[in-house]
Amino acid sequence: MNFLYPKLVPASFTWTRPENGAPVTKVHEWIEPLSSESAPEKSKAADFVIVGVPLSRSSISASGASEFPDAFRRAWKSFTTYNLDEDIDLAERIALDAGDVPMHVTDIRRCHENIVTAAAVLFDHFPNSKICAIGGDHSITAMMVKGLQQARAQERIGIIQFDTHFDLRDLSDNGPSNGTPMRNLIESGVVKGSDMYNIGLHGFFNTKDLKQYAEEQGVHYITLGKARKKGIKETVEDCLGHLATRVDTIYLTVDMDVLDIAYAPGVPASTPGGMTTAELLEGVMAAAKHPKVGAMDIVCLDPLKDTLVQPTVKLGTHVFLTFATGVMLR
C-alpha cells in the first residue's frame, strides 16, 4: 500500500527493482512504485508521477482501454531510459508509479468521482511533479482536469488536445462519455472554450454541429491538413505561444485515435488519414518542452484490439517517454 491509499490502489504488479548501486538502464528499473516506504515528503521530489486510470465502460465504442495501464507497465521492459536522438538519460530524474484509481464495476459516475478525488490529491501532494495519467478512455480527461482545478483553484487551466474528434458531444444525450470531455469542462466552467486547442482533426469523423459548437465556444481547432502544411512542431509551438499568455497551467491530452489506423491498430475508434507515429511524437515533444505544460494523459488505447506484437501499446509507452524527454530538455 502507499500513503495515498485508498484514493489510489497499488498496481496489479510491480517490477523487481535493481539492487542498490546497480546501474539503471531500462524503464522498468527506473520507475519506482509509490509504496508505504516512500516517505510523503521525500516523494515530493519526484519529477514524474504516473497514475493508471483503468476506465473504459464510459466509451462510446466498445473498448478495452481499461487494460492499458497494466499493458503500459509491462511494456517498460522493452525500452531503455536513454534517448539516443536527444542524448538524454531519463534515469537522471525520479519517476514514481502511484498505482491506479480504484474503479467501481458498474457505477461510471462513481468511477469519475474517484478520478476527480485522486487527481486532486495527486496535484496537491506533488505540486512540482509532472502528473501523467494513463487511461482509460477520454472521459477521464475531464475528471483529471477537474481534480487539477480543485487542487489549484487559483490557476487558469488550458488544454492542448491531439485528437481526430472534437469530443464536444452533447452531454444531455451522451452523458460523461469519451465523446464529451471537452464539452464537460466547458459547461462545468472548469476550462474556457477559448483556452482549448485541438490539433489533428481530419476526415469524415465529426458532425457539422460539433464544429459549430466549437466555434460558438471559441475552441481553437487545427485540422491535420493545416498542421501538416505549417509543420506539426510549428503548429504546436504556435498554439502554446498563444495559450501560455492566458493560462497558468497547460494540460496535454493525447487521444491515440489521432493516429492513422495503419499506425495504431489497438485503438477503438481508429481511422484512416490520421497522424503518423513520427508526427505524434514530434508534437508531444514540442508540447513537453513548454514550461507551462504541467500534466498529461494518454487515452483510448485498447491492448485487446492490438496485434500480437503490441505496436500500439509500445507507441503509447513511447509517447510517455517522449513527453518525459521533452520535460528534461526544458
Side-chain angles (χ1 to χ4, degrees):
M1 298 296 181
N2 64 53
F3 58 84
L4 297 178
Y5 179 84
K7 294 179 175 65
L8 290 162
V9 296
S12 62
F13 79 98
T14 56
W15 290 102
T16 301
R17 298 279 302 152
E19 294 181 6
N20 289 339
V24 172
T25 61
K26 291 292 195 77
V27 171
H28 73 285
E29 299 168 336
W30 169 52
I31 301 172
E32 301 179 44
L34 183 66
S35 65
S36 56
E37 287 76 38
S38 304
E41 289 307 310
K42 183 180 178 183
S43 70
K44 288 186 176 182
D47 298 282
F48 306 100
V49 177
I50 295 162
V51 58
V53 193
L55 175 67
S56 55
R57 294 187 188 280
S58 40
S59 177
I60 295 169
S61 308
S63 172
S66 56
E67 305 305 307
F68 180 48
D70 270 1
F72 169 75
R73 293 179 175 108
R74 293 183 187 278
W76 293 347
K77 199 170 186 179
S78 299
F79 295 87
T80 68
T81 58
Y82 178 65
N83 184 324
L84 178 64
D85 293 301
E86 304 294 340
D87 192 23
I88 288 285
D89 194 342
L90 298 175
E92 295 172 7
R93 300 293 181 91
I94 300 170
L96 299 177
D97 181 357
D100 291 339
V101 179
M103 294 295 151
H104 190 275
V105 176
T106 58
D107 191 336
I108 294 172
R109 289 191 181 275
R110 188 186 299 182
C111 293
H112 283 157
E113 290 168 2
N114 289 353
I115 298 168
V116 174
T117 300
V121 168
L122 285 168
F123 285 114
D124 180 63
H125 183 77
F126 300 100
N128 301 313
S129 307
K130 303 297 172 281
I131 307 296
C132 304
I134 308 301
D137 65 45
H138 216 168
S139 73
I140 76 158
T141 298
M143 309 307 150
M144 289 296 299
V145 175
K146 287 180 179 181
L148 171 58
Q149 186 208 38
Q150 282 190 15
R152 305 175 190 174
Q154 75 283 3
E155 294 187 2
R156 181 168 169 178
I157 303 166
I159 291 182
I160 295 287
Q161 174 186 0
F162 291 113
D163 210 326
T164 286
H165 307 97
F166 280 107
D167 285 353
L168 291 169
R169 295 194 190 204
D170 194 335
L171 284 157
S172 63
D173 55 6
N174 282 271
S177 71
N178 69 329
T180 63
M182 301 307 142
R183 189 159 182 156
N184 193 330
L185 290 170
I186 291 171
E187 295 191 353
S188 60
V190 174
V191 180
K192 297 176 183 289
S194 57
D195 291 340
M196 294 180 175
Y197 286 76
N198 186 328
I199 303 166
L201 298 144
H202 64 272
F204 304 87
F205 311 108
N206 292 278
T207 56
K208 191 174 182 179
D209 64 298
L210 296 182
K211 170 184 173 290
Q212 292 168 338
Y213 178 84
E215 291 171 346
E216 289 168 5
Q217 297 297 323
V219 175
H220 303 269
Y221 61 92
I222 301 91
T223 65
L224 183 53
K226 289 181 179 178
R228 279 181 171 147
K229 286 179 182 178
K230 184 169 186 171
I232 301 296
K233 175 175 175 286
E234 291 76 12
T235 299
V236 173
E237 289 175 345
D238 185 55
C239 292
L240 286 164
H242 287 97
L243 184 56
T245 63
R246 302 193 302 272
V247 303
D248 302 294
T249 300
I250 297 172
Y251 186 100
L252 170 67
T253 178
V254 181
D255 188 329
M256 294 294 283
D257 74 22
V258 75
L259 289 156
D260 190 287
I261 190 171
Y263 296 91
V267 171
S270 55
T271 63
M275 280 188 178
T276 65
T277 295
E279 287 174 332
L280 178 59
L281 295 177
E282 181 182 16
V284 169
M285 177 71 81
K289 288 180 179 179
H290 196 283
K292 284 196 174 181
V293 175
M296 65 95 69
D297 65 40
I298 305 168
V299 297
C300 295
L301 195 163
D302 182 351
L304 304 181
K305 286 185 169 65
D306 217 0
T307 57
L308 189 61
V309 295
Q310 299 274 278
T312 320
V313 169
K314 290 177 181 176
L315 177 52
T317 309
H318 204 314
V319 166
F320 162 71
L321 297 174
T322 299
F323 175 81
T325 301
V327 171
M328 286 189 67
L329 286 169
R330 293 181 183 180

